[in-house]
Amino acid sequence: MRNLILIGLLFSLSLFACEKAPEAPTQEEVESFLLSPSPGETFRRGEAIQIQANFSAEDWEMHGYELYVLDTSNYDLLFSAGLHTHEGLLEIDTSWVYTDSLSRAAELEIRCYIDHKGNYVQQIVPITLVP
C-alpha cells in the first residue's frame, strides 16, 4: 500500500512539473505588413483612405484586430473598425472617408490581438488630414 501511495505521489508531481504549452504566439512571432496608408501620407476631405495590412503567425490562431484613426492633438476618435476572428492570417482591407473641415495631424493604430487576454501587436502610422 505504501508503494502504491508513493507511486501515485510521484505521478502527481510529474504532472505538475510539465510545462503547459503556450496558447498564443509571442509578439516576436507575429509578422506584420502595412500596405497602406504610407507613413506621413496626406488625405483631403472627401478622399477615401484605404487601410490595408496583414498580420500572420505561422501555426497559430490570432484573435482579431481593432483599428483606430485618432487626432494626435487631443486623441479624439475619428474612425474605428474591428473584427473578432480565429485565423492564422489576418488580412485587413477597409476604407474610410475623411469628411471633417479641419486640418488634423492624426495616426492610424492597428492592433492585432494574439490571445483572449488582451495581448496584441500593433502598427502606428502618422497621417495628415486636410480640408
Side-chain angles (χ1 to χ4, degrees):
M1 180 71 169
R2 184 175 175 193
N3 287 341
L4 187 59
I5 293 173
L6 185 58
I7 290 172
L9 180 62
L10 289 174
F11 180 72
S12 297
L13 288 174
S14 69
L15 288 177
F16 289 116
C18 293
E19 286 188 30
K20 187 176 180 182
E23 297 174 2
T26 64
Q27 291 177 332
E28 293 77 26
E29 291 175 301
V30 178
E31 293 182 0
S32 62
F33 302 97
L34 179 69
L35 306 171
S36 69
S38 298
E41 196 168 349
T42 298
F43 297 94
R44 300 202 175 285
R45 186 170 104 180
E47 185 178 355
I49 301 168
Q50 192 67 32
I51 302 168
Q52 296 177 312
N54 293 332
F55 291 84
S56 64
E58 191 173 316
D59 300 324
W60 294 100
E61 272 190 0
M62 290 175 289
H63 297 273
Y65 69 87
E66 293 175 350
L67 63 89
Y68 310 95
V69 177
L70 302 164
D71 181 321
T72 57
S73 67
N74 55 17
Y75 287 93
D76 280 347
L77 179 64
L78 305 174
F79 174 73
S80 67
L83 177 68
H84 181 204
T85 186
H86 292 260
E87 301 290 333
L89 172 63
L90 294 178
E91 296 177 295
I92 300 167
D93 187 3
T94 191
S95 63
W96 170 63
V97 176
Y98 181 61
T99 59
D100 203 343
S101 60
L102 300 174
S103 291
R104 298 177 187 260
E107 67 183 21
L108 165 67
E109 179 179 348
I110 303 173
R111 293 180 181 182
C112 172
Y113 288 90
I114 58 177
D115 60 27
H116 281 130
K117 297 175 184 174
N119 295 308
Y120 60 88
V121 295
Q122 69 181 2
Q123 286 273 353
I124 296 176
V125 183
I127 58 174
T128 302
L129 305 171
V130 295

